Amino acid sequence: MIRRLIHISRPVLWINTIGTVAVGMWLSGTLWDAKVLPLLLWATLPFNLLIYGVNDVFDQETDALNPRKGSFGGARISRSEVRLILLGVAATNAPFAVLFALTLPADALVWISLYALVFLGYSVPPLRFKARPYLDSLSNAAYAFPLVFVPLALGGSPVWAAALGLMAWSAAKHTFDAVQDIDEDRRAGLATTATQLGPRGVVLWSGLFWTLSTALFALVSVPVALVVGTIAAFLLVSLQRKPSPATGRRLYPVSIAYPYLAGTFAGVLLVAALALGVYG
């Protein structure tokens, strides 16, 4: 049962939550603060099960048509598993909700609440941002919220250029990744930014947001901005040369590696700067 819940939570994507919590801590000027440990633990199975488990519950029709589901790209669940998933989400997230309410400052709690509510709204009717073109993309800016609430939880201030840059980056990546699902989403009658724009339109949409994110990251670290911009350019040019869902599927492993590569580079620079006393 636990192994199944872990699969549903898509461990290959945990970097998007664990990594942002860690970077949020480092941007606050400290290599390690024990206050961050509960947030890091929450960013593993509990919060990813909330994101992807709830998404799988409400996406059963489209997932049944999607050949990517059932692999590292996400689980394909059965109706009999819905109760298990929802119980798993509640059981793993409720203790952290209580702990955070008792220990964290109000401004951090507001952003943590938004973090959870936006992702629930992405999948759950009546909001269901997933089926609302442009809102589906923009709602994924929530992946950057740890860069706001972690510094606030530590009594500091967010580095807004980094937070806003990651918000723009996340919106771009969500739509880019959705190119591979255009055919299945259209057959299921699901309207998304990608189905509305088509692959060529996605190149423009994601290109604009990735350009904005690169400019914002440059205000914090030029080397990080160069790495982010270079990977984005490779993905966009590759899709532009052959704009199709098949190209999106071919590029998806590179897109999954994107946050690992850029995040590791940014993290190493931050840790080195903190260790050498030139940041913080």
Side-chain angles (χ1 to χ4, degrees), residues 69-191:
K69 299 299 181 177
S71 66
F72 71 91
R76 183 182 288 114
I77 70 165
S78 63
R79 293 191 182 278
S80 63
E81 292 180 296
V82 169
R83 178 180 170 83
L84 167 67
I85 293 168
L86 295 180
L87 285 174
V89 170
T92 56
N93 283 272
F96 288 99
V98 173
L99 177 63
F100 296 157
L102 293 175
T103 60
L104 296 182
D107 50 2
L109 288 174
V110 169
W111 281 94
I112 288 172
S113 299
L114 285 173
Y115 190 45
L117 290 173
V118 169
F119 280 114
L120 288 173
Y122 178 81
S123 300
V124 180
L127 293 177
R128 192 155 166 77
F129 301 134
K130 178 184 176 75
R132 298 178 186 271
Y134 309 110
L135 283 177
D136 64 334
S137 178
L138 296 175
S139 66
N140 271 254
Y143 274 109
F145 287 8
L147 297 193
V148 179
F149 66 69
V150 171
L152 293 174
L154 297 177
S157 299
V159 178
W160 284 107
L164 293 172
L166 188 56
M167 290 180 193
W169 183 91
S170 300
K173 186 175 183 298
H174 173 269
T175 304
F176 186 90
D177 287 349
V179 168
Q180 64 188 311
D181 297 328
I182 285 176
D183 292 339
E184 290 81 10
D185 287 345
R186 284 175 175 167
R187 283 201 297 271
L190 182 64

Side-chain angles (χ1 to χ4, degrees), residues 4 6-13 56 63 66-77 180 252 256:
R4 179 60 173 162
I6 290 173
H7 181 209
I8 290 168
S9 74
R10 304 184 199 178
V12 72
L13 300 180
D56 288 346
D63 287 352
N66 194 331
R68 179 165 60 90
K69 299 299 181 177
S71 66
F72 71 91
R76 183 182 288 114
I77 70 165
Q180 64 188 311
Y252 187 55
I256 284 183

Side-chain angles (χ1 to χ4, degrees), residues 5-277:
L5 290 176
I6 290 173
H7 181 209
I8 290 168
S9 74
R10 304 184 199 178
V12 72
L13 300 180
W14 287 12
I15 186 66
N16 295 322
T17 52
I18 299 171
T20 48
V21 170
V23 170
M25 176 180 64
W26 294 330
L27 284 172
S28 71
T30 182
L31 277 171
W32 174 250
D33 190 317
K35 294 177 185 175
V36 175
L37 181 58
L39 290 166
L40 276 171
L41 292 174
W42 181 53
T44 59
L45 173 65
F47 193 69
N48 284 282
L49 189 59
L50 181 147
I51 298 174
Y52 301 115
V54 172
N55 180 258
D56 288 346
V57 167
F58 289 92
D59 276 9
Q60 292 178 68
E61 282 188 43
T62 54
D63 287 352
L65 302 172
N66 194 331
R68 179 165 60 90
K69 299 299 181 177
S71 66
F72 71 91
R76 183 182 288 114
I77 70 165
S78 63
R79 293 191 182 278
S80 63
E81 292 180 296
V82 169
R83 178 180 170 83
L84 167 67
I85 293 168
L86 295 180
L87 285 174
V89 170
T92 56
N93 283 272
F96 288 99
V98 173
L99 177 63
F100 296 157
L102 293 175
T103 60
L104 296 182
D107 50 2
L109 288 174
V110 169
W111 281 94
I112 288 172
S113 299
L114 285 173
Y115 190 45
L117 290 173
V118 169
F119 280 114
L120 288 173
Y122 178 81
S123 300
V124 180
L127 293 177
R128 192 155 166 77
F129 301 134
K130 178 184 176 75
R132 298 178 186 271
Y134 309 110
L135 283 177
D136 64 334
S137 178
L138 296 175
S139 66
N140 271 254
Y143 274 109
F145 287 8
L147 297 193
V148 179
F149 66 69
V150 171
L152 293 174
L154 297 177
S157 299
V159 178
W160 284 107
L164 293 172
L166 188 56
M167 290 180 193
W169 183 91
S170 300
K173 186 175 183 298
H174 173 269
T175 304
F176 186 90
D177 287 349
V179 168
Q180 64 188 311
D181 297 328
I182 285 176
D183 292 339
E184 290 81 10
D185 287 345
R186 284 175 175 167
R187 283 201 297 271
L190 182 64
T192 68
T193 306
T195 63
Q196 294 291 298
L197 296 177
R200 291 187 187 276
V202 168
V203 171
L204 178 59
W205 173 271
S206 293
L208 288 172
F209 277 100
W210 269 331
T211 298
L212 175 59
S213 71
T214 300
L216 288 165
F217 288 143
L219 299 176
V220 183
S221 170
V222 172
V224 169
L226 289 173
V227 170
V228 168
T230 299
I231 301 173
F234 169 78
L235 291 170
L236 293 166
V237 170
S238 298
L239 182 59
Q240 177 63 33
R241 285 177 175 169
K242 199 167 185 178
S244 69
T247 303
R249 284 190 289 275
R250 180 173 60 81
L251 292 171
Y252 187 55
V254 180
S255 182
I256 284 183
Y258 193 172
Y260 283 91
L261 295 171
T264 298
F265 184 75
V268 168
L269 286 184
L270 264 172
V271 169
L274 287 166
L276 296 171

